[in-house]
Amino acid sequence: DIVMTQSPDSLAVSLGERATINCKSSQSVLYSSNNKNYLAWYQQKAGQPPNLLISWASTRESGVPDRFSGSGSGTDFTLTISSLQAEDVAVYYCQQYYSTPTFGQGTKVEIK
Amino acid sequence: EVQLVESGGGLVQPGGSLRLSCAASGFTVISNYMSWVRQAPGKGLEWVSIIYTGGSTYYADSVKGRFTISRDNSKNTLYLQMKSLRAEDTAVYYCARGRYYGSGTYCFDYWGQGTLITVSS
């Protein structure tokens, strides 16, 4: 199985500041035939199920604020929240779907 | 509106069995790739099983041979039959709709609220 490793495990960011979460896969999740990265990001708020934010490493889901952006390719990916809002407090997970799905361990985002 | 509502969770002794249900609305289970994903208390997410539109089923190694995924098209409901339960199966079990991209690749675009299974004597 592909192992997904996120960093940091947690971070505290001031309101309006940038939050950056990293995700590294143990092997490339870039499909050469279509040049797509099989990588998704989810947000999980306390007591709620995960919510799909981004697929294909950088494609935001409908309704997701544009302060959320995804980038990266191959084995290294980043989720950026450009201006942290109070409602963004959550745990964020990356997931690869290049093969049997696996998730990162999660990154907890809090307000400083 | 897409909705997934799980039920059937509870306390079960090690070695016991339990069946989870996931009632879907707003779409048909048979036309979608339906999955179970679990989350141990305070831990991350672990994919458990999926059933394809054609009926093929797949399982995580950790549950293979003990769990069975199925669906009832007339009830538009997904199931997870769990047997030989272990303490490490303790988790919130989420029903999730898979967004299928072909060749066995999928992410999860809708999730239920989850149902808690506690395996303990």
Side-chain angles (χ1 to χ4, degrees):
Chain A
D1 287 358
I2 298 176
V3 177
M4 308 300 290
T5 304
Q6 293 180 225
S7 62
D9 288 335
S10 65
L11 74 161
V13 176
S14 300
L15 288 172
E17 296 299 305
R18 178 183 302 259
T20 301
I21 300 167
N22 300 301
C23 174
K24 188 174 184 68
S25 57
S26 60
Q27 65 185 75
S28 176
V29 299
L30 174 64
Y31 226 115
S32 57
S33 61
N34 58 12
N35 201 37
K36 289 192 171 200
N37 288 283
Y38 284 56
L39 189 286
W41 288 97
Y42 299 85
Q43 175 192 64
Q44 186 177 32
K45 296 182 179 180
Q48 294 186 21
N51 178 48
L52 179 63
L53 293 178
I54 287 171
S55 58
W56 303 122
S58 61
T59 302
R60 269 191 309 275
E61 291 293 297
S62 174
V64 174
D66 60 8
R67 63 180 179 273
F68 291 92
S69 64
S71 62
S73 184
T75 61
D76 293 281
F77 300 90
T78 300
L79 175 69
T80 301
I81 309 172
S82 61
S83 176
L84 191 74
Q85 305 300 303
E87 61 265 32
D88 301 334
V89 168
V91 179
Y92 293 83
Y93 294 93
C94 60
Q95 177 229 329
Q96 64 78 20
Y97 48 99
Y98 183 91
S99 62
T100 302
T102 51
F103 296 85
Q105 81 276 18
T107 295
K108 186 175 185 178
V109 174
E110 300 173 305
I111 304 295
K112 185 187 290 182
Chain B
E1 180 192 7
V2 170
Q3 274 199 319
L4 296 165
V5 179
E6 300 95 336
S7 60
L11 175 65
V12 60
Q13 292 190 336
S17 299
L18 209 58
R19 188 179 81 157
L20 305 183
S21 300
C22 171
S25 57
F27 72 100
T28 56
V29 164
I30 192 174
S31 300
N32 286 270
Y33 294 77
M34 298 300 299
S35 198
W36 291 95
V37 178
R38 68 185 180 183
Q39 185 170 35
K43 302 295 185 183
L45 300 163
E46 179 188 17
W47 171 78
V48 172
S49 180
I50 190 165
I51 184 166
Y52 284 11
T53 54
S56 298
T57 58
Y58 300 90
Y59 301 90
D61 288 344
S62 57
V63 307
K64 202 173 293 181
R66 301 187 299 122
F67 290 11
T68 302
I69 191 171
S70 63
R71 65 192 179 201
D72 184 327
N73 303 331
S74 65
K75 295 181 179 179
N76 207 31
T77 298
L78 179 74
Y79 300 101
L80 186 67
Q81 178 68 51
M82 305 182 292
K83 64 179 184 179
S84 303
L85 284 161
R86 307 165 180 166
E88 54 265 36
D89 295 319
T90 295
V92 173
Y93 284 73
Y94 294 103
C95 166
R97 191 178 79 170
R99 182 183 294 172
Y100 190 70
Y101 297 114
S103 302
T105 66
Y106 48 91
C107 61
F108 308 100
D109 60 2
Y110 287 96
W111 299 65
Q113 288 296 313
T115 187
L116 175 63
I117 309 302
T118 303
V119 184
S120 175
S121 54

